[in-house]
Amino acid sequence: MRIEFENQTIDFNVLYGNRKKLSIHIDSTGHITIKAPNGTTDAAVMEAVERHGARILQKLQAIENARSAPKTKEYQDEGKFLHLGKYYYLHELIETKDLNEDELKASLKKFYFNSCKKLIAERIKTYQTELKVKPKTIEIVESRTKWGSCSSDKHLTFNYRLAMAPLEVIDYVIIHELCHLTHMNHDRSFWRRVGSIMPDYKEKEEFLARYGQAMTL
């Protein structure tokens, strides 16, 4: 779901359950989850998000500022960068000879895009068969706040930085987005479906929350 607040778009998911009060949760990646009692109307959820809109935007801005903070990266042969959860010297990932820093950055980003595209294409086949779903399109994108997304028209996107994560974490994001093809919200049935394929999915979520900021260029 989404609302427009102060000329900005706030995207969020709703998780219904046996609880007395509605609460708003924003994780370290900027993902917003509204936990609401069973039977809560969409109008009530939207009103709650709008009522707390200023605080939500303030929190999202703080997360964005943290992500945008300068991080020292050594763009030289001995600089180390993540790929599939492990650190490699830059020259082990891309050709570095006779390239300046801007060219090295561009080449490394291209490497991650290509790696992610190949991994997603390979890994998604098994899980879409197991889940009996099929996305209309799949795209690799650059995003500061989302690891993956699923639109109402079955368009899936995946963050190129996933190529830096361990393979099982990549699999979790794939499963998560594929499950959205049949369950658009993060309700109980959605998480049951995710858990039926990956019972330890919470560990993968915790990994992304804890180490996601290190997975950047």
Side-chain angles (χ1 to χ4, degrees):
M1 298 176 71
R2 65 174 48 178
I3 68 165
E4 297 297 324
F5 184 84
E6 296 184 354
N7 297 319
Q8 296 189 56
T9 300
I10 299 177
D11 289 299
F12 57 92
N13 289 287
V14 184
L15 178 62
Y16 298 96
N18 294 321
R19 51 179 55 88
K20 295 181 179 180
K21 295 181 179 180
L22 182 148
S23 59
I24 299 173
H25 300 265
I26 305 175
D27 67 19
S28 61
T29 68
H31 182 84
I32 304 170
T33 301
I34 311 301
K35 295 185 177 180
N38 289 325
T40 303
T41 64
D42 288 351
V45 172
M46 301 283 275
E47 189 276 331
V49 174
E50 186 171 6
R51 188 168 66 253
H52 296 281
R55 181 176 66 84
I56 292 171
L57 291 180
Q58 185 179 30
K59 176 68 174 178
L60 293 177
Q61 186 60 55
I63 292 172
E64 178 64 19
N65 291 343
R67 286 180 172 275
S68 301
K71 298 178 178 64
T72 301
K73 293 287 186 181
E74 296 184 20
Y75 286 91
Q76 54 184 329
D77 283 354
E78 298 306 308
K80 289 187 176 181
F81 294 84
L82 281 167
H83 184 234
L84 296 182
K86 297 181 180 180
Y87 278 99
Y88 293 86
Y89 290 116
L90 183 59
H91 65 83
E92 294 180 296
L93 300 177
I94 62 171
E95 175 60 53
T96 60
K97 187 177 180 181
D98 298 327
L99 297 181
N100 61 37
E101 184 170 318
D102 288 340
E103 291 170 333
L104 288 171
K105 288 180 180 180
S107 181
L108 185 59
K109 179 178 283 191
K110 183 178 180 180
F111 165 80
Y112 282 126
F113 261 95
N114 291 338
S115 178
C116 187
K117 183 177 181 179
K118 181 180 178 181
L119 284 165
I120 296 297
E122 292 175 350
R123 308 295 290 182
I124 205 169
K125 291 177 182 178
T126 298
Y127 294 116
Q128 70 179 22
T129 299
E130 193 169 355
L131 289 163
K132 296 181 173 59
V133 295
K134 187 175 182 179
K136 186 173 293 185
T137 59
I138 301 169
E139 185 180 6
I140 308 303
V141 300
E142 181 173 3
S143 172
R144 286 184 176 274
T145 59
K146 294 182 179 181
W147 296 108
S149 68
C150 173
S151 69
S152 58
D153 60 355
K154 298 185 178 182
H155 173 66
L156 300 188
T157 64
F158 295 95
N159 194 326
Y160 82 93
R161 293 188 294 117
L162 278 173
M164 303 178 194
L167 193 57
E168 62 269 19
V169 174
I170 298 173
D171 284 350
Y172 161 66
V173 177
I174 290 173
I175 292 168
H176 185 114
E177 300 310 330
L178 285 174
C179 286
H180 274 316
L181 292 174
T182 49
H183 303 281
M184 285 302 294
N185 288 319
H186 290 92
D187 55 15
R188 188 173 297 177
S189 58
F190 168 81
W191 290 115
R192 277 201 300 264
R193 194 67 179 120
V194 172
S196 70
I197 306 298
M198 181 174 281
D200 60 348
Y201 69 86
K202 288 186 178 180
E203 294 181 8
K204 312 304 184 291
E205 283 194 319
E206 291 173 1
F207 179 94
L208 289 171
R210 180 173 298 182
Y211 301 110
Q213 291 190 19
M215 293 160 51
T216 186
L217 293 183

